[in-house]
Amino acid sequence: MGTPVHAETVLKNGKVWCGLGLPLASAIALWGGRVLATGSDVEIEPLIGPQTTVIDLAGRLATPGLNDAHMHLVPYGTAMSEIDLRPATVPTLESLLASLRDRAATLPKGDWVIGRGYDHFKLDVGRHPYREELDEACPDHPVYIVRTDGHLAVANSLALQLAGITEDTPSPQGGLIERQNGRLTGLLAETGREPVMQVLPENSVETLVQSIERGGADLLSRGITSCMEAAVGIRDGWTEMLAYQKAHREGRLPVRVYATLMGDKGRTVMAEAGAAGMVSGGGDDMFRIGPVKIFTDGAAGGRTAAMTRPYLGGDENDTGLLCLDDAELNAMIADGHRKGYRFAIHAIGDAAIEQVLNAFEAALAEVPDPDRRHRIEHCGWLRPDQMARMKAMHVLPAPQPAFLYYFGDLYLTLIEKERVEASHPMRTWIDAGLHPSASTDCPVVEIDPFANLYSMVTRKTEKGTQIGTEHILTMEEALNAYTFESAYAAHEETIKGQLVPGQLGDVAVFDTDLLTCAAEDILTTRCDLTILGGRVVYQRDQTV
């Protein structure tokens, strides 16, 4: 007889949701960083030895660790040290300007004042701040504030001057440098932001590692154990990859990361990655190289998502922005596909989605690969004919259901009601076998997963407006999108996303039974305990 295996950690006396279609358990045993067994308390009892850490769930719900399939960890952690301009913090234009003034007062003249998260739709004035207003608040500092969607920003005169933007600077392809009556307003959209982004202060590797630590710790406090970093290199280029490598090497990476490589013109780290021998799928369970990211359009809330039909209240040309022409995108995707890369292409409007599908079809015709699982990030406003093409190629949507919660009421002012109801069609995607995942695009919206779960099971906005009830999911389907499907979107479904023997021991414990609670109680749920690789990494109200 061999020595019996005793678990390192056992969670018991609760409700363990192991995955969609799997039986509920009351206990789970973890060993060697992985799931050893699940079952009843009686079944797991023999796995408890003298050295086993036993955690009493006291009836609470445990699930696989959540996996945010598209967020921006470095920018999120960085934004925590920048000025918080989210609506809950600065609901009025005056409070926004006061926040900028207060930060400027702490900085030497000439230092940058940077803020993130304002939403002009929710500001009391119902518009973007003007350049002159930022000038008045901070006459001695360059100012750059980014809208919540990350696709529009406003700069003051000093910032525009440093970027070389004048009244005569034309808007670039795929972008906007806004003027009214021939004068710069300070509003920059899409590629129009790049001249300012190029003169922003460069972050050091160590500063970015601290952003990763700060953001990752917050994810763990929400029960999120994995994420896709949706654009390594978006602001600080290869320095961001060096920061991830340093964090991983030094044991400072708080969560498992699937790292997307920026592949845009002028913002690419794909070439450096290729030179370093990095290709999609390489790495380990903590840090894995993911797909290549290319932006093809903007955001619906900023009227820059590329649509085939115009936005409400505009002229016939008010259909958003395409960042690339067809030939450019086709060539970029064909080149990367040949080299073995997966793609995660940002495309929100149906015109952009059309462009991406055409490029994918051409690339797959040249080099067939039925399990490459190219992705369309966001993919919110697609047509039924496009859905059929996605199914034929097994191209996965990577949507953010919480966009309807936070932006649904705004969408209804910009786009016809029937199109809003048909957007983010989770039910149709599931029925088509397209494995829709769940994510936040944080810091575009809050990282907290509960608005996402609430939106998936109610299709309600934060004001209570219900949009497209035919796409309502069960809670188990919603949790599946946040666990198994997010792993599937990263080709990692065999190692995580379910609590089954052999998979990674990543567990989240919540104070509310999401499977049985009233829908409104989802929004006030809190994570009590997070386990990563069998080790407790977060306990609410305690320092781990």
Side-chain angles (χ1 to χ4, degrees):
M1 293 286 290
T3 304
V5 173
H6 287 142
E8 293 167 348
T9 304
V10 165
L11 292 77
K12 67 175 189 175
N13 187 30
K15 181 185 284 189
V16 181
W17 184 78
C18 300
L20 184 64
L22 298 175
L24 284 172
S26 62
I28 179 170
L30 307 173
W31 180 82
R34 294 180 179 268
V35 177
L36 179 62
T38 61
S40 67
D41 288 7
V42 170
E43 289 169 328
I44 299 300
E45 185 69 29
L47 298 175
I48 298 175
Q51 304 301 316
T52 303
T53 299
V54 179
I55 297 171
D56 184 0
L57 290 173
R60 292 172 297 178
L61 175 69
T63 73
L66 301 183
N67 184 342
D68 192 306
H70 179 120
M71 61 85 59
H72 300 268
L73 184 57
V74 166
Y76 182 48
T78 300
M80 289 178 172
S81 65
E82 296 174 344
I83 307 169
D84 184 359
L85 300 180
R86 290 174 294 182
T89 307
V90 289
T92 66
L93 175 62
E94 183 45 49
S95 60
L96 181 151
L97 297 173
S99 293
L100 301 180
R101 275 194 297 268
D102 291 346
R103 177 61 63 92
T106 69
L107 299 171
K109 287 185 178 182
D111 277 14
W112 282 80
V113 173
I114 300 173
R116 166 108 200 194
Y118 84 91
D119 186 344
H120 66 291
F121 181 65
K122 294 178 181 177
L123 275 179
D124 60 333
V125 291
R127 61 167 172 81
H128 300 279
Y130 289 126
R131 168 176 62 97
E132 292 85 356
E133 291 166 335
L134 302 187
D135 290 346
E136 188 175 343
C138 303
D140 302 315
H141 298 79
V143 177
Y144 185 67
I145 61 171
V146 180
R147 187 183 181 273
T148 182
D149 60 10
H151 290 263
L152 297 95
V154 183
N156 74 346
S157 297
L158 264 178
L160 294 171
Q161 181 182 335
L162 288 169
I165 296 175
T166 70
E167 308 284 1
D168 301 320
T169 304
S171 292
Q173 178 190 356
L176 172 70
I177 298 173
E178 188 184 65
R179 293 167 184 77
Q180 290 182 5
N181 302 316
R183 287 184 53 77
L184 293 168
T185 65
L187 182 68
L188 308 167
E190 306 305 339
T191 57
R193 299 166 299 147
E194 289 178 2
V196 176
M197 292 174 69
Q198 288 167 5
V199 296
L200 288 173
E202 290 186 10
N203 287 307
S204 68
V205 171
E206 177 58 28
T207 297
L208 295 178
V209 171
Q210 292 171 14
S211 292
I212 292 166
E213 290 180 306
R214 197 161 42 230
D218 192 60
L219 266 62
L220 291 176
S221 77
R222 323 289 184 147
I224 301 166
T225 53
S226 295
C227 70
M228 182 175 93
E229 165 61 85
V232 174
I234 192 167
R235 176 171 155 182
D236 286 292
W238 191 246
T239 307
E240 295 178 20
M241 179 59 76
L242 295 177
Y244 268 113
Q245 290 177 325
K246 178 180 172 71
H248 187 205
R249 187 171 62 247
E250 297 180 358
R252 298 167 65 187
L253 190 57
V255 294
R256 304 187 193 277
V257 173
Y258 185 56
T260 302
L261 307 170
M262 277 302 299
D264 271 4
K265 296 186 304 179
R267 286 192 295 177
T268 181
V269 299
M270 183 179 166
E272 293 100 320
M278 295 178 180
V279 71
S280 302
D284 61 22
D285 295 345
M286 280 303 294
F287 186 70
R288 197 175 306 282
I289 301 300
V292 172
K293 171 78 168 287
I294 296 172
F295 284 91
T296 63
D297 69 347
R303 304 174 79 99
T304 55
M307 305 285 193
T308 53
R309 291 161 62 181
Y311 289 93
L312 297 176
D315 62 28
E316 62 183 13
N317 297 316
D318 186 12
T319 55
L321 294 168
L322 281 173
C323 299
L324 300 163
D325 63 38
D326 293 350
E328 288 175 314
L329 183 64
N330 289 349
M332 292 161 78
I333 289 180
D335 177 59
H337 180 78
R338 264 185 238 114
K339 292 173 178 173
Y341 286 102
R342 305 162 190 163
F343 277 96
I345 307 296
H346 169 114
I348 290 181
D350 63 329
I353 292 167
E354 185 76 12
Q355 190 183 46
V356 173
L357 291 175
N358 290 340
F360 281 160
E361 282 172 343
L364 285 162
E366 181 190 353
V367 182
D369 186 348
D371 197 37
R372 187 71 65 96
R373 300 183 199 172
H374 291 316
R375 298 165 43 154
I376 299 180
E377 307 304 296
H378 316 304
C379 200
W381 306 84
L382 74 169
R383 307 186 305 265
D385 64 295
Q386 294 173 328
M387 200 103 64
R389 294 169 69 192
M390 289 177 68
K391 183 176 180 180
M393 291 185 280
H394 201 52
V395 169
L396 309 184
Q400 293 71 46
F403 279 11
L404 284 177
Y405 178 78
Y406 290 105
F407 304 140
D409 294 294
L410 168 61
Y411 292 156
L412 289 166
T413 71
L414 300 174
I415 298 165
E416 294 87 352
K417 183 171 183 280
E418 65 272 14
R419 289 171 66 199
V420 181
E421 290 177 335
S423 72
H424 307 85
M426 295 293 286
R427 170 63 59 206
T428 308
W429 279 327
I430 290 172
D431 291 347
L434 287 176
H435 297 271
S437 50
S439 57
T440 58
D441 201 13
C442 170
V444 172
V445 303
E446 302 291 334
I447 189 63
D448 198 282
F450 303 111
N452 244 336
L453 293 169
Y454 175 81
S455 176
M456 285 187 272
V457 302
T458 66
R459 295 281 291 196
K460 286 184 179 179
T461 71
E462 60 183 339
K463 292 184 177 178
T465 310
Q466 200 161 34
I467 297 172
T469 55
E470 67 272 22
H471 294 294
I472 285 175
L473 305 185
T474 67
M475 177 53 76
E476 288 203 62
E477 288 172 323
L479 285 170
N480 188 60
Y482 237 131
T483 53
F484 175 83
E485 301 297 11
S486 292
Y488 186 90
H491 291 249
E492 292 185 314
E493 74 275 12
T494 60
I495 63 167
K496 63 184 175 185
Q498 296 178 315
L499 296 178
V500 295
Q503 289 218 351
L504 293 167
D506 300 348
V507 185
V509 177
F510 301 106
D511 71 349
T512 301
D513 185 350
L514 295 166
L515 299 176
T516 60
C517 72
E520 301 307 313
D521 292 337
I522 298 168
L523 293 168
T524 56
T525 299
R526 292 181 293 185
C527 175
D528 278 351
L529 181 77
T530 305
I531 294 174
L532 181 78
R535 187 171 63 88
V536 175
V537 289
Y538 169 78
Q539 282 181 275
R540 187 155 60 92
D541 301 327
Q542 294 184 40
T543 302
V544 176

